[in-house]
Amino acid sequence: MSANFGNNHGQNQNREDFAVGTFKAIRIDKAEKGTTAALTQFDEAELMDGDVTVRVEWSTLNYKDGLAVTGKAPVVRRFPMIAGIDFSGTVEQSSNPAWKAGDKVIATGWGMGETHLGAYAEKARVKGDWLVKLPEGMSTRDAMSIGTAGYTAMLSVMALQKHGLTPSDGPMVVTGAAGGVGSVAVALLSRLGFHVIASTGRVAEADYLKKLGAHEIIDRNELSAPAKPLAKERWAGGVDSVGSTTLANLLSMTKYRGAIAACGLAAGMDLPSSVAPFILRGVCLLGIDSVMCPIELRKQAWARLASELDHRKLSEITQEIGLTDVIEAGAKILAGQVRGRIVVKIL
């Protein structure tokens, strides 16, 4: 499906409109108060060091991207910055022996859009060690339909499985279920045979979540009150992209020797919990870092996404926008007004 977040005129501009040696990019600059973001021309000579130059075809919109383009949080630590934390595209030039011109690649994290020039641009120059080969049967658009959010969801599922959890152990809970990470986590866990409990603040999305594979829908308010040290056991594990009080409640309600994979902080960085779940029930809190994740684990995650994620469901949860729409869409994702995944067409 497609989404209209604003005027698409700039999206259709001819490349000839830009001078040789420049390309379109969303540039973030330091301002007197905060930052500014705008779609503009960027000089190729200003690209940072790297041994692979990629013609970017697709990117995506993540919560962190919304923070960067709106300036709502100081995630950008270098100026000027090109926003965007992930991309897929085709190698244009390479001095890295692992890559050659024409290779299709994926890049996520590694500080792109924060300390290294990012993905909302027609070109990116990065270290070849950051790249993952596009899996067979997956298009560059498919890769960004998954993006950092879906890849993080898979890392979370892999961590829960490594902990030893199986469908016979009990339900899995997913918070922020209608968002990018949550939507993919619901689909993956359901495909693996788990009974999935989806927590969302948008109860109107119940049908959407059930189509993804959720068996039960609970209102996020059930997890918003101050957490008890221990509460009634409700699930064997889960994936949390919310953090703060929500995560504290999840831990207090996790079954004996269960685990929660924590991968987000939409509600805050604090954790108002106690040691009770850990020392009385043996619950584990599994931290999920997708930014600096080792390359071999990345390859495993993308290989599993290619084979285990139902791409029909992925198509149903994906909206498409252009570069001209990213800043407005960034404000919407922070306001909780974005469902599923948004891919950004670069070329």
Side-chain angles (χ1 to χ4, degrees):
M1 74 180 77
S2 62
N4 181 13
F5 286 101
N7 184 353
N8 291 322
H9 172 72
Q11 176 181 342
N12 299 317
Q13 285 180 292
N14 293 327
R15 290 183 52 77
E16 288 77 14
D17 292 346
F18 294 87
V20 174
T22 66
F23 53 87
K24 287 187 289 185
I26 293 181
R27 174 174 170 146
I28 299 177
D29 286 288
K30 190 74 174 173
E32 186 175 337
K33 293 183 178 180
T35 61
T36 61
L39 178 60
T40 185
Q41 301 177 60
F42 200 91
D43 193 326
E44 188 169 351
E46 292 187 61
L47 284 174
M48 296 173 69
D49 289 343
D51 51 12
V52 180
T53 301
V54 178
R55 176 66 64 184
V56 180
E57 297 167 12
W58 295 92
S59 186
T60 184
L61 183 71
N62 300 282
Y63 193 84
K64 187 181 288 185
D65 298 318
L67 293 173
V69 299
T70 61
K72 294 293 185 181
V75 297
V76 176
R77 299 192 293 277
R78 175 200 184 276
F79 298 95
M81 176 54 63
I82 295 176
I85 66 171
D86 50 13
F87 68 76
S88 58
T90 303
V91 172
E92 190 175 75
Q93 293 179 324
S94 174
S95 59
N96 186 304
W99 306 104
K100 64 182 185 305
D103 286 342
K104 299 288 187 179
V105 294
I106 301 167
T108 60
W110 300 117
M112 291 190 304
E114 300 175 76
T115 58
H116 191 94
L117 296 178
Y120 293 152
E122 293 179 321
K123 284 191 179 185
R125 184 173 296 139
V126 297
K127 296 179 180 179
D129 294 345
W130 294 357
L131 299 172
V132 173
K133 182 180 179 181
L134 185 74
E136 290 292 331
M138 183 183 288
S139 70
T140 51
R141 187 185 189 280
D142 290 339
M144 285 300 101
S145 294
I146 298 168
T148 293
Y151 148 68
T152 302
M154 177 54 85
L155 290 176
S156 300
V157 170
M158 289 166 62
L160 293 168
Q161 289 184 307
K162 185 177 181 181
H163 184 74
L165 295 177
T166 67
S168 64
D169 293 313
M172 286 286 183
V173 64
V174 177
T175 64
V181 174
S183 293
V184 178
V186 168
L188 287 170
L189 289 167
S190 173
R191 180 85 177 259
L192 290 168
F194 287 96
H195 180 98
V196 180
I197 301 171
S199 167
T200 180
R202 294 176 273 174
V203 291
E205 302 289 8
D207 287 344
Y208 162 81
L209 291 168
K210 287 178 180 178
K211 286 181 181 178
L212 288 178
H215 297 82
E216 298 178 50
I217 312 297
I218 62 174
D219 193 295
R220 70 179 175 198
N221 288 332
E222 291 189 36
L223 304 172
S224 297
K228 298 177 180 179
L230 289 176
K232 182 180 178 181
E233 295 174 87
R234 297 180 65 176
W235 33 71
V239 177
D240 176 58
S241 61
V242 178
S244 191
T245 302
T246 295
L247 177 55
N249 275 291
L250 291 193
L251 292 166
S252 75
M253 299 176 187
T254 299
K255 293 183 177 184
Y256 183 73
R257 296 192 67 79
I260 299 295
C263 59
L265 43 72
M269 294 184 67
D270 61 320
L271 181 57
S273 183
S274 75
V275 298
F278 310 117
I279 65 174
L280 297 180
R281 287 187 182 158
V283 170
C284 286
L285 178 58
L286 310 174
I288 307 300
D289 166 50
S290 62
V291 177
M292 304 304 290
C293 178
I295 195 68
E296 288 305 318
L297 193 56
R298 290 170 183 263
K299 291 177 181 178
Q300 292 174 35
W302 281 102
R304 288 191 59 177
L305 285 162
S307 63
E308 297 178 24
L309 184 60
D310 187 333
H311 287 266
R312 291 171 299 178
K313 289 183 179 179
L314 184 64
S315 178
E316 291 172 2
I317 70 173
T318 302
Q319 308 169 52
E320 181 180 316
I321 64 174
L323 270 175
T324 52
D325 308 318
V326 165
I327 296 173
E328 185 176 352
K332 289 180 180 291
I333 199 170
L334 297 188
Q337 297 171 359
V338 170
R339 181 179 81 176
R341 304 288 298 122
I342 291 181
V343 292
V344 181
K345 184 176 177 60
I346 306 296
L347 291 176

